[in-house]
Each structure stands twice: as structure tokens, then as C-alpha cells.
Amino acid sequence: MNCPSSVSQFTLDYGKVLKLGQVLEEPVLIHSSREDHPAVSVKPVDLVRAIEDRILKLDDVFLHDVRLNGSAATWVVDNDPIRPSSSLVEHRLYNDVDLIFRLDIPAEYHFDAILRAALFGFLDAVRSSGMVLSGHGGADTPNPYKLQEAYVRKLVRVWSSSDHWCLVSFHNIKGLDLELKFVGLCHRPYEFSVDSFQVIIDSYLALKKVSPRNDPHLFPTVNVETMWGDANEALSHVNERWISTRNPESIRGGGLLKYCKLLVLGYRPVYSDMRRMERYMCSRFFIDFATPAAVEAQIIKYLETHFRLIRSEYLIACQASAFLWTLLRVVELSSDCLTLTDRQRILLVILERAHSLEQPYIVTIQPIRTLHNSSGRYVRKVGFAQKQAVANHCSAA
């Protein structure tokens, strides 16, 4: 899977095509927020095919291709060996299934038709699995707005000079959402080099229609494009667990929370002067989330969507606690954009959230050490019961 230097595309080998198949063929449970709509199980491959069929019938909207993105794409291109299907969930190998439909979208009003195609495509995929969703009140065809209310966790539309896209996220209570992004333009398609990969799945879908069995002598040519630009460099960052980004001030939230999660997962900054990059991340984060309440809400949201799909509550608490202590360290050392008072308030918000996670396991969990170059001011060999002393130290800093 090597490629010439500075080339942005490469081809998957057979083993990685099998990993792609695991992601696309593994059913994802979509939960409902309404009592009159049941939880349903959908394979991503069925959902993509159903939505493709709907989009192809739309006027003035042209579909270029469909791509797997995000942490699932990173896992596919990683040298991590193929796993049993159950371990994909148990070991949290990726956060969710992100699918990009690259389109020509002439005008913003086309988003309405695209959303209907996504919702009715979802319904088609559910029916293809053998389940039947009757309409609200006994109608044969469910109301698309009821489907949206029941199964969609997040719906975002963006139309500006540099971005034309909408996002539909189908809800899974453990955080393994099915996220569909319909993109005409996107000025910033990645945060870090390790999440810059887009696996173009059209050839996989086409071959599986005629030859569903896996065969090392007959498998699709699946191309991958990295938005980072240099495929060899981006692949080396994945396999060597390096953190690298560009212009973090242009990322919503600055990439700060993702950066701290990567540190917890064992990644290390590729830059010798990462403190400067951390300052940019913090600056953008506290522009986008300007109050302690907004910061806390964003942290809670991130914890819910990135730490829930782990085998036990204990492991969730361990990893989430490590994430919060890492975030605390970065904010303490790199938030020069904040006043002293605001910094103290934010640090106390993070401390309180960490304490709420650690309290049920106060006897068994040991404090997490900071992961690199920390002053050690907040993460020390003390019991979690001494949190108040740490908070007092924070106020006196």
C-alpha cells in the first residue's frame, strides 16, 4: 500500500478491503427517541445503496461518489490486523461510521430533497432487512418528519461561500452513530493527518452486487484519498501514532478535544514546539465556546459520543478520566487567551467533571499521570478524594 512521495491517493490491499467490508457489513443499531418507533438495525452498505438510489432520481443534484471517512476510515488504512466483528464494538476501534456523499448541489433549497432522500433511503434499508415501519397513526408510509424526530440525533445545514454541506446523524445510544454528510464544498475536511483519509467505496459496492463472497483473487480496487496531501506521510502518522495538524485555528473548536483524545490513545505530537499549536487550539476553542457553561456542555457531549462504546463502565471512567486530566493540563499551560479568572473557572469545570466520573471508583482507580511534558501541577500521586485541595491550588495559582 505504498505510494510515491507527495501523492494523495493509494489503493487498499486485500486485507484492508476485508476490514472495509467489516465496517460496511456490520449492522448498526439505530435507537429511537419516540416510544412508537422501535430501534432498528441497519447495515451501512444497505443504507448507502438505498440513499444512492434515491439521490439518483433527484433533479439537478449529481452524485460523484461515496466515501468512508473519520475514525472508521483510519482503522481501515491502519496496520491494525482484522478483528472478529464483535471486537469492533467491544474495543471501540472507531467512534462512528462517517459516510460522505460527494454531490453537485446547485442551491441551498436542494438540501430539502437531499434530506428526504436520506430519510426515505433509511426507511428502504430498514425494510430490506426485513423490518416494517408503519406510518404514525396506521399510515402505510411513515412521515419523514416523524422519522427525523425519532431516529436523527443531529441535523446540520451549512451554506456559505466556502461550505455547501448538510449532515444527518442517526442515533445510537452508545455513540456508534451512522453519520451521513452530503457535501458540495467543504473548506476543512479534516482536523488531523490521521483523520484525513477518505475511502472511496463505489467499487466495493459494485463488486458486492455481483460477487458477495470474499476472494483474494477477485476483490475490488478500492482507492483512498487523503486530504492531508501526502499519503505516505499521513500513513506514517497513523502507523507510528503521531499527531500533526495544520492551521488549527481554522477548525471549529480548534481540534482541542480530539487532540486530547489522541494523547490518551497513545499518540504523540510530531512537532517539537507543540505548545504553540496547543495555544492556537485553545484560542479557537474558547472563541467557539466562550463561557464555562458552553465549555462544560461541549465536554459532556464529547464524552458521550467518544467514550460510551467500551466494554465496561469502569473502563469508560478510566479512559474518560485520563482524557479530562489531559485536557486540564493542556488548558492550564496553553490558554493564554483567557483571563486568569476565566482560566480558573474553566479548570474548575473540568475538575468537577473528572471528579463526577471518578467518584464511584474512588477506591480502585489510580490517578492518571499526564502524558507528556507536564508540569505535574494537577496530576499527582494523590487520591481523588483530595480534589478539593487540587481545586484550592488552582484558585491560588
Side-chain angles (χ1 to χ4, degrees), residues 161-314:
S161 59
S162 58
D163 288 281
H164 299 165
W165 56 265
C166 65
L167 174 72
V168 181
S169 179
F170 290 101
H171 174 57
N172 175 281
I173 60 174
K174 292 187 175 181
L176 186 66
D177 294 347
L178 266 173
E179 294 207 339
L180 313 176
K181 196 170 185 178
F182 302 90
V183 180
L185 292 175
C186 184
H187 86 283
R188 180 75 189 218
Y190 68 92
E191 291 183 286
F192 297 88
S193 59
V194 295
D195 61 21
S196 67
F197 299 96
Q198 296 184 1
V199 183
I200 305 168
I201 66 174
D202 299 78
S203 60
Y204 179 89
L205 299 174
L207 185 61
K208 286 299 178 178
K209 283 185 178 180
V210 297
S211 178
R213 297 182 63 181
N214 295 319
D215 185 343
H217 303 292
L218 178 63
F219 64 94
T221 300
V222 178
N223 293 320
V224 182
E225 184 175 4
T226 171
M227 303 296 104
W228 184 252
D230 186 329
N232 272 334
E233 184 178 54
L235 283 169
S236 70
H237 291 171
V238 170
N239 294 316
E240 300 299 326
R241 299 299 188 261
W242 289 110
I243 302 173
S244 184
T245 188
R246 297 172 180 144
N247 303 319
E249 65 275 10
S250 69
I251 309 171
R252 176 168 168 77
L256 177 62
L257 301 185
K258 175 70 174 284
Y259 170 69
C260 293
K261 174 71 181 296
L262 289 173
L263 289 175
V264 170
L265 293 177
Y267 287 76
R268 292 294 182 269
V270 73
Y271 308 110
S272 59
D273 183 20
M274 195 60 196
R275 188 64 48 77
R276 179 176 59 86
M277 199 65 70
E278 289 178 357
R279 290 192 184 101
Y280 285 131
M281 294 178 189
C282 286
S283 178
R284 177 59 193 261
F285 184 82
F286 293 115
I287 289 172
D288 293 334
F289 310 103
T291 67
V295 169
E296 184 171 26
Q298 187 64 17
I299 290 172
I300 292 172
K301 179 181 177 182
Y302 195 85
L303 291 172
E304 288 179 347
T305 56
H306 290 78
F307 292 93
R308 295 182 66 178
L309 197 61
I310 305 176
R311 286 175 295 173
S312 72
E313 293 294 327
Y314 174 77

Side-chain angles (χ1 to χ4, degrees), residues 134-151:
S134 61
H136 185 66
D140 291 334
T141 302
N143 185 317
Y145 301 105
K146 297 293 185 182
L147 288 175
Q148 178 181 329
E149 182 182 348
Y151 295 109

